[in-house]
Amino acid sequence: MAAAAASSCGGAGCGPHCSSSSAAAVEDAAAAAAEKVGRLSLSRECGKCGGGAAVAVAGGLGLCGECFRANLFGKFKLAVTSNAMVRPTDSVLLAFSGGPASRVALQFIHEMRCKAIESWDVSNSQALPVFGVGVAFVDESVLCSKPRDEIEMAVEDIRSIVSSFSTGVKAMHIARLEDVFSTESEDGERRLREVVDMIGDDTGREDFLRCLRMLLLQKIAMENGYAKIMLGSCASAIACHVLSATVKEHYEIDNSTQGQGYSLPADVQYVDTRWEVPVVLPLRDCLAQELTLLCELDSLQTQQHLDRPSNGINSLVASFIKRLRRTTHLYSYYYHSQEENPSREHTIVRTAQKLKPFCFNKFSADGYHDFLPSRLRPKFQKVDNDESTFSEILCLMCGSPFSESELQNLESTKHKAQKKIDLYTAHCCQSCYFQILPAGENLNEHFFSLLPKLWTGKVDTISDSHSLLRDQIEEYLLEENDDGN
Amino acid sequence: MCRRKAPCEGHQVLLRRDDVGTAKKAQLQLVHCSFIGEISLNLRLWKFDIRSERSGNDKGRRRRLRLRRARSSYLRRAPHHSGGHEARAEWRRRRVPFLLSSASCKILCPSQLPMDPAVDGPRQPPARAGSRLCTRCGERKAALKRPKTLEQICRECFYIVFEDEIHQTIVENNLFKPGDRVAIGASGGKDSTVLAYVLSELNHRHKYCLDLFLLSVDEGITGYRDDSLETVKRNEIQYGLPLKIISYKDLYGWTMDDIVKAIGLKNNCTFCGVFRRQALDRGAALLKVDKIVTGHNADDIAETVLLNILRGDIARLSRCTFITTGEDGPIPRCKPFKYTYEKEIVIYPYYAISHIFSCIYSPNAYRGFAREFIKDLERMRPRAILDIIKSGENFRISTTTRMPEQGTCERCGYISSQKLCKACVLLDGLNRGLPKLGVGRTKGVAGGDSDCEQQAKRPERSRSSLQGKHGNIDF
């Protein structure tokens, strides 16, 4: 999908609903949902409030539109408050892709903000301000093969959706993906096309674009003073990511191979503070289906015209999850089960949650939780000693934490590296090495020369300081192959 | 069993006719010795064997008769040990057509196929310049693309590299120690057949000094298990490994056919898997072995990792990628094929398998989804299968997750994390006419009057508990 990282399910999970939100579509959606409710032999009335026809299933009950909405908003709010995602002094940048998940995130954060303003208005102290919200859209049209005017119309749509929140949204930032390379548009476009063409593997290309998107969002947030980035990643997207990470490519270092199972827990938590600007995922407990349904019931406008079809492993995983979802319904129909048949995506996310998260998966800065009411603070004050032993070395491109073998490889390369290129390569995780980096020495060098300075600059700084240190003590260092003669 | 038993010992055992077991052992010894070609036969003993063995049906008996007669008439012509090298080579060459022509023995041992030009006929002509050469030896023409790495390789190099990788796996993971008694879980399918062959080959070649046995489980599935058991019996003869068959009927009083009649085609794999696991352990305890090896390959393990993620079974997810499991239990079991691709296991006997058996009840298994996904993935990226296994090995479970504790079953003494082991629970359910007991998420009695009525109508089943024929086996 275009724009925000992981706010989709690889293009196949969310329904292919376009920006049309006519009454007919809403009725169709409601009818389809009611039929599903009937098939699961649940009551026709809303299970919660008793009034109104049940149009959706959540938590084992048929719910009317209002209760369904309240259910989803409740999940969103709980995620935000229980993980201390947004402080009153923060400015939050919402990554908006035009899809249903980020549209719902926009709607909900706006509502939360309105409620916060109301309570601020009536409160006596007015000591703490209300958080600010900005919206960012990443324009990837340079890689899109659609005609120019269609793209422009789609971007206009996005602009109009966001501008309807005139009071709530502080600012709207529409940035093109090539801006991550340099400020000049010509050079950036050429470089982006060239570097993407150098990647042979479809899945590698998609993952690389996702990393670039995150980099761009970070850039926008840093330049405009935002404290948090909010993504609309839903449970279905996380489930796809869990399965994709499990099956992704490895690289053999000295005959020991690695899947991405080590770094998987880092990407599936509510909070991710690896980046300069922390990333939060408040819609992590909501399914893509539910969000799409809510968009239809509430006539929330979405824009998915700029979605690109994906060919790699990510799309295979997304279609697999879709097939599982259909099968779950089939089995529940077959058994006329009165019990809730929990969604497969929730189970996958719950499994991933049982894996050990990293130390950067929570806010650990001193005094961060001071804004919380005192009854909630003790929950965040537990210190887990095990987590402090994890490495802080992250992959250059995707940000995955390095596992032991990758660390060992990095250490040995640091001392022996003749060229900068070896150092860059050692700073990439094994998955990126195999999927993204082109094979071949000279191609590799060219590839790294094209990468954004924000990435290669980090390695340059480290290597410069290391070589400075080495210069200072060189006369005292013995060569590794010295026999002591 | 060591292959190099002296012929005179074999002769002495042959003379004792009353003991069927010994005669069978004698038969096996004979087969061993016949591979060396140093013994002549006593026809009367062969007839004795035919009478003493039970066969499933007429067709089986006829097949076996043919085998016996062909073999015995053939071996009558076997050269004495004084025949010399040429005679032995000639005999070896003639033995190969025997294996090919016998209707029942179609699984070839690849390393016995003719290779040496002086003995076995002209070799393949050297590869012409410009045609694809094997990437390993560079001499012979590449005959296939290796599924794991997609490298083009000749047949001989493929056999070498296949066997070598398995040997490396065994050595690096310290799967066996010299003198171990090892039971091979043999179903008659391609995995266990190749496992039996490869393990006996490597045992001999690299001198593991293991005592190998074949252990087979008869689930009582007509049209599948009776056929595949024939294959196992063939393996017993071909590879000279003693065989033990354990049947569900003897152990639990139920066959899979009966179970499917009782519960339908859903969840039957749950019953079969749970029962088979215990059956293997009990059989191994009877054989007094130190280890069980199974033919689970890389595809199976990758599917299991995926299934455990989909089901949220974190306890199994942490264990399913171990190459050896149950080390703290009665008998540990290991999987030498953990990194071997299923496609390579199919290629190894190279068109020599006449029929690949697949269970007639398996199409409805949930595992089928994971299998389809893995197949699609393999087409896209062959290495993905190994990646899934490696990812599974790298999962670190959070310390706050509650994991089940290992105890023993109150009824049968088998290892269990609950009060009763799963097999006892399932068997209980079957005997009480509540087949859903212990399956899926339903806990306790699936209520309603209809079930009680069904219970009354159900014919009386012998309440076999697991303290059955085999006694209360201490695990």
Side-chain angles (χ1 to χ4, degrees), chain B residues 308-379:
Chain B
N308 286 330
I309 294 178
L310 294 178
R311 289 188 160 155
D313 196 334
I314 201 75
R316 288 204 176 93
L317 185 62
S318 57
R319 293 193 308 255
C320 64
T321 49
F322 294 168
I323 196 168
T324 309
T325 50
E327 275 162 323
D328 45 355
I331 299 173
R333 46 177 75 195
C334 51
K335 307 176 178 76
F337 281 175
K338 181 183 171 191
Y339 300 110
T340 315
Y341 277 37
E342 189 176 14
K343 283 215 169 83
E344 299 201 344
I345 293 177
V346 173
I347 291 175
Y348 183 69
Y350 200 49
Y351 304 150
I353 291 185
S354 57
H355 178 63
I356 294 181
F357 302 110
S358 63
C359 180
I360 56 177
Y361 295 137
S362 68
N364 303 302
Y366 192 69
R367 186 173 275 263
F369 289 109
R371 185 167 296 140
E372 257 185 70
F373 174 63
I374 300 259
K375 290 299 162 220
D376 291 336
L377 204 58
E378 195 187 359
R379 242 172 271 136

Side-chain angles (χ1 to χ4, degrees), chain A residues 35-293:
Chain A
E35 191 197 312
K36 180 175 124 190
V37 167
R39 223 174 35 230
L40 291 172
S41 27
L42 295 164
S43 132
R44 289 264 165 192
E45 258 105 48
C46 174
K48 232 173 181 175
C49 63
V55 293
V57 181
L61 293 172
L63 298 175
C64 66
E66 281 304 317
C67 293
F68 178 62
R69 192 175 194 291
N71 178 279
L72 286 182
F73 184 70
K75 283 188 198 168
F76 178 88
K77 196 158 172 219
L78 184 67
V80 171
T81 49
S82 63
N83 292 285
M85 283 186 189
V86 179
R87 291 182 296 183
T89 46
D90 281 345
S91 279
V92 177
L93 180 69
L94 176 74
F96 183 65
S97 65
S102 46
R103 179 69 185 84
V104 170
L106 180 60
Q107 188 74 25
F108 283 170
I109 197 74
H110 173 73
E111 271 176 45
M112 264 189 83
R113 188 166 187 277
C114 291
K115 288 197 174 121
I117 288 180
E118 277 171 22
S119 55
W120 183 78
D121 275 339
V122 303
S123 84
N124 292 326
S125 61
Q126 294 192 350
L128 290 174
V130 175
F131 62 90
V133 175
V135 176
F137 173 71
V138 176
D139 181 1
E140 290 178 37
S141 48
V142 69
L143 297 168
C144 200
S145 52
K146 300 217 163 68
R148 191 73 227 165
D149 48 351
E150 279 186 34
I151 296 175
E152 274 167 24
M153 247 175 50
V155 177
E156 265 315 303
D157 268 342
I158 303 261
R159 221 186 274 272
S160 67
I161 293 173
V162 179
S163 53
S164 64
F165 296 93
S166 48
T167 49
V169 172
K170 205 166 80 166
M172 165 127 198
H173 310 273
I174 298 189
R176 308 180 72 185
L177 193 58
E178 49 269 30
D179 294 345
V180 79
F181 290 99
S182 64
T183 45
E184 295 163 54
S185 60
E186 294 299 324
D187 191 42
E189 201 176 313
R190 180 195 60 82
R191 273 173 80 174
L192 177 63
R193 275 196 222 269
E194 215 181 316
V195 83
V196 168
D197 284 336
M198 283 182 85
I199 303 173
D201 189 52
D202 282 333
T203 316
R205 209 174 299 139
E206 284 169 20
D207 288 348
F208 180 70
L209 288 174
R210 192 187 297 141
C211 300
L212 280 184
R213 248 178 252 138
M214 178 53 77
L215 186 65
L216 184 61
L217 288 171
Q218 291 285 321
K219 187 164 176 252
I220 298 173
M222 281 192 294
E223 284 171 1
N224 296 282
Y226 287 99
K228 300 275 161 52
I229 294 179
M230 188 175 278
L231 298 182
S233 305
C234 56
S236 315
I238 306 261
C240 287
H241 181 77
V242 169
L243 290 188
S244 307
T246 311
V247 311
K248 284 267 165 76
E249 194 58 71
H250 66 290
Y251 164 61
E252 286 185 31
I253 296 181
D254 302 329
N255 291 327
S256 79
T257 56
Q258 298 268 347
Q260 275 194 344
Y262 181 84
S263 57
L264 169 59
D267 308 318
V268 301
Q269 309 295 332
Y270 285 107
V271 167
D272 189 354
T273 60
R274 289 178 267 184
W275 317 100
E276 301 281 349
V277 180
V279 174
V280 295
L281 274 57
L283 281 179
R284 194 172 158 268
D285 298 319
C286 305
L287 297 175
Q289 276 178 297
E290 294 174 338
L291 299 171
T292 315
L293 183 59

